Amino acid sequence: MRIGLLTDGGYPYANGESRLWCDRLVRGLPQHEFDLFALSRSADQERQGWVRLPDHVGHVRTAPMWTGADDVRHAGGRRGLTGRLATGLGRSYGRRDRRRFEEAVAALVGAVCAGSGAGPEEGGGHAGTASALFAGGLHGLAELAREKGGLHTALRSETTVRTVESACRAPGTGRTVHSATVPDYLAFTTELERALRPLCLDWYDEDGLGAVDVCHAASGGAAALPGLLAKRFFGVPLLVTEHGVPLRSHYLAAPEAASGAPVRALLANFHRLLASEVYREAALITPGNTHVRRWQERFGADRERVRTVYPGMEADRFRSVGEDDDGGGPGTLVWIGRIEPAKDLIALLHAFAEVRRAEPDARLRIFGAPAEEGEGDAYLTQCRALAAQLFPDEAVDAHAVGDNPVTFEEIGGPEVPDLAEAYAAGGVVVLSSVVEGFPISLVEAMFCARATVSTDVGAVVEVVGGTGLVVPPRNPRALADACVTLLRDPERRARLGAAARARALELFTVEQNLDAFRDIYLDLVGRAPARWPASSEARAKAGPPRPFALPPEAHVLDALPPPPVGATAAVVAGTAPASRVPSWAIGADSACAAGDGHA
């Protein structure tokens, strides 16, 4: 089977999002061929290059979304040969094509400006009308870009700006959108061109997305947009996997954006409508947890086509940690993660002050490094200052050196050489986040048979189940009480740790993730209708499609025996893909011809 894996700022780049998950998926299914279609998000990501790809990765096409539109290039093939995209630079539309563009962009922008920002379930018929207008405009622009090129130039034209202005001033738009000014129109037009840039790529041909059996988008949003068009142009089934919620991330980042409120409102409406269209057209949606699934269903995903598949994680690296391994002592609390405000280490330090009043010998070891972007360094400095204020160095007597019960450490030193040793450094692992998606650190702690205390955010309750204690976020008193409870009850701590390891091995391993997608790929191909070649020449050469001519089982065979004496001439001559035809189907043409003669 040939899988088109679609990523946005991720695999195959060395520092991309979901890189580890994509790499495990590709390497874990060597019986399939993977073609990669990747959007890059920064010059630094391009400079760091790709990870080493396995042999069954076929073509790799990339497109930078961070450059100016005139500089967009792609890479194709295993060696990364570069070439300019078929964007029709320097071409202008004729009268008929200009009318097509104006109608399509008016429909799309009109739907975006009329959007209320609420989910489809709250908008009733109005939301359905906006979604239909958005879909019509989006696909109209995609077809124009594929046939004529030059879409990026048209999207940056005065026509688009005037269309945005008219739509914002139309009756029925929200107060925020209606208050937009000329700078807002220009800013939104620029962002719209960037968001729709995947429509201009040269991926939509018989050698690109038209040649794959399944399009698998590793996230929603821009990554799924090429898959949306592949379904429309070639009938390729679209599979969308989301371990987080891009739409939610956009909502959280919007207040911090430099643009004005009207632009933020318009972009929020655009991403909401795009997410709804992707969910509506996807053959199957696989959220990484129930928290993500609720968001997807709120914005239009049909629950009959949603299947939760937990992201697989390597369990072997934590096998050496036993249930009784407490390197730092049973009275030690451990926190592991990126140091940033969303982790709320301030609340954890205040909670630990309460723990020390109840258990004077307790210690807190914080393992992590500041986040590379944002306020990581400043937040780490703030946490160190608070720890020094709450816990001044203590000494046993007048001749001993003072010691602080809170330590900030990094993994990789002589005392803690790897991640497993960090989890083994204490008896209880704590998570104090106020914002969390899928809590990877909790799963790793469960692999290490550690009892956990965590805050009720994101997918924490779903991951922990009944194997740990969960408290409300931003509540240091509740967090402290839960920690003291486990520190004082070693038997309960051991029971919870053993149950946590058993739960993690059952639900969160790489093997269960690979088994799920192996079945999903086969099911999607088995239910997909027969596809005609896109070009008229290819259709004339291939003839009409024959139902069940290529069953789904043929996609998962490794090596087939050479064709027997009764093989068709096309297979023997090498003009037909013999390696993808099962032995029992060889000679079907002659059998059909004989049947026609008897008729």
Side-chain angles (χ1 to χ4, degrees):
M1 191 184 306
R2 194 171 181 181
I3 309 298
L5 187 60
L6 314 174
T7 65
D8 179 20
Y11 192 73
Y13 293 103
N15 63 343
E17 297 179 3
S18 299
R19 175 184 60 82
L20 292 177
W21 175 81
C22 290
D23 192 56
R24 291 166 183 164
L25 176 71
V26 172
R27 294 182 184 277
L29 299 176
Q31 69 271 37
H32 300 313
E33 180 182 356
F34 284 83
D35 289 348
L36 305 183
F37 301 84
L39 306 175
S40 67
R41 285 296 169 181
S42 67
D44 180 66
Q45 190 174 59
E46 294 274 1
R47 283 194 298 268
Q48 294 194 27
W50 302 346
V51 299
R52 184 175 180 179
L53 301 176
D55 293 336
H56 58 283
V57 172
H59 298 90
V60 180
R61 297 193 181 188
T62 66
M65 296 292 100
W66 49 273
T67 61
D70 293 338
D71 299 325
V72 176
R73 296 178 180 270
H74 86 286
R78 294 300 306 278
R79 299 297 180 182
L81 303 177
T82 59
R84 183 166 298 275
L85 295 179
T87 52
L89 298 177
R91 297 174 55 181
S92 59
Y93 292 151
R95 181 180 302 175
R96 180 180 178 184
D97 294 329
R98 282 200 302 270
R99 187 181 303 113
R100 290 175 59 189
F101 171 78
E102 291 170 1
E103 293 175 353
V105 78
L108 185 143
V109 173
V112 170
C113 292
S116 62
E121 64 183 16
E122 300 176 8
H126 174 75
T129 302
S131 297
L133 282 173
F134 180 86
L138 180 68
H139 293 300
L141 292 175
E143 291 170 357
L144 182 62
R146 185 170 180 239
E147 296 172 9
K148 302 297 181 179
L151 179 62
H152 80 284
T153 302
L155 286 173
R156 292 184 298 168
S157 66
E158 183 180 352
T159 300
T160 305
V161 178
R162 292 188 179 278
T163 302
V164 172
E165 180 183 11
S166 299
C168 289
R169 293 183 176 181
T173 57
R175 180 181 302 176
T176 301
V177 172
H178 197 77
S179 66
T181 59
V182 173
D184 297 321
Y185 305 147
L186 295 173
F188 175 68
T189 300
T190 300
E191 293 298 326
L192 182 65
E193 183 274 325
R194 188 178 300 275
L196 295 179
R197 197 172 291 175
L199 274 60
C200 306
L201 301 174
D202 66 344
W203 296 353
Y204 313 108
D205 54 33
E206 293 291 343
D207 296 326
L209 288 171
V212 304
D213 298 303
V214 174
C215 278
H216 187 174
S219 65
L225 191 50
L228 199 64
L229 303 186
K231 178 183 179 182
R232 183 174 182 84
F233 295 148
F234 308 107
V236 179
L238 173 61
L239 169 64
V240 178
T241 295
E242 288 184 323
H243 295 134
V245 186
L247 185 61
R248 174 177 175 270
S249 300
H250 178 81
Y251 284 161
L252 291 175
E256 301 176 0
S259 54
V263 177
R264 296 198 301 268
L266 290 170
L267 290 176
N269 292 342
F270 172 84
H271 288 290
R272 175 179 61 82
L273 290 168
L274 177 59
S276 298
E277 178 65 10
V278 168
Y279 296 154
R280 186 177 68 87
E281 292 292 337
L284 187 67
I285 305 167
T286 53
N289 53 74
T290 304
H291 173 68
V292 174
R293 179 172 184 154
R294 287 196 296 266
W295 273 84
Q296 293 171 338
E297 292 179 354
R298 172 181 172 80
F299 288 95
D302 182 1
R303 62 181 57 190
E304 297 297 327
R305 291 184 286 113
V306 178
R307 173 182 171 184
T308 302
V309 179
Y310 295 117
M313 299 176 60
E314 294 285 351
D316 292 340
R317 61 189 299 195
F318 305 106
R319 194 180 299 275
S320 61
V321 181
E323 297 177 8
D324 297 327
D325 293 339
D326 292 327
T332 301
L333 304 177
V334 170
W335 181 96
I336 298 176
R338 290 194 313 271
I339 298 178
E340 56 186 349
K343 304 303 181 181
D344 202 9
L345 290 180
I346 300 297
L348 175 61
L349 292 172
H350 284 289
F352 185 65
E354 300 294 331
V355 172
R356 287 278 292 180
R357 293 188 181 94
E359 294 291 327
D361 294 332
R363 301 185 64 84
L364 173 62
R365 301 182 69 176
I366 297 175
F367 295 96
E372 296 180 359
E373 300 178 357
E375 306 173 355
D377 291 326
Y379 190 70
L380 175 59
T381 302
Q382 181 183 359
C383 292
R384 289 182 182 274
L386 179 61
Q389 178 182 353
L390 292 176
F391 312 102
D393 291 345
E394 301 174 356
V396 178
D397 53 49
H399 303 286
V401 178
D403 184 25
N404 196 303
V406 179
T407 58
F408 293 84
E409 309 173 48
E410 291 190 10
I411 299 173
E415 295 185 0
V416 185
D418 56 31
L419 192 59
E421 291 293 334
Y423 285 107
V428 178
V429 175
V430 185
L431 183 142
S432 55
S433 301
V434 293
V435 177
E436 194 75 49
F438 186 83
I440 294 176
S441 62
L442 278 187
V443 177
E444 293 172 341
M446 293 166 70
F447 280 135
C448 296
R450 286 294 170 269
T452 60
V453 175
S454 49
T455 50
D456 186 6
V457 292
V460 166
V461 172
E462 180 183 3
V463 168
V464 173
T467 67
L469 303 186
V470 180
V471 300
R474 297 189 178 93
N475 191 331
R477 169 67 69 179
L479 189 64
D481 291 344
C483 291
V484 170
T485 298
L486 291 184
L487 291 176
R488 289 178 173 177
D489 194 343
E491 294 184 358
R492 184 182 184 187
R493 193 167 66 237
R495 288 196 306 270
L496 291 176
R501 169 173 279 180
R503 179 177 175 83
L505 292 175
E506 179 184 1
L507 297 177
F508 307 123
T509 61
V510 173
E511 291 73 21
Q512 65 83 22
N513 185 266
L514 294 177
D515 289 343
F517 281 107
R518 187 181 294 111
D519 295 340
I520 287 171
Y521 288 159
L522 187 60
D523 182 62
L524 289 179
V525 171
R527 291 191 284 114
R531 287 159 46 197
W532 284 53
S535 63
S536 58
E537 294 82 0
R539 286 198 298 268
K541 183 178 179 180
R546 289 179 300 167
F548 309 109
L550 194 62
E553 289 82 1
H555 293 279
V556 296
L557 297 178
D558 292 329
L560 294 175
V565 178
T568 62
V571 172
V572 174
T575 58
S579 61
R580 301 179 68 181
V581 179
S583 58
W584 53 264
I586 295 177
D589 288 339
S590 58
C592 291
D596 292 341
H598 288 300

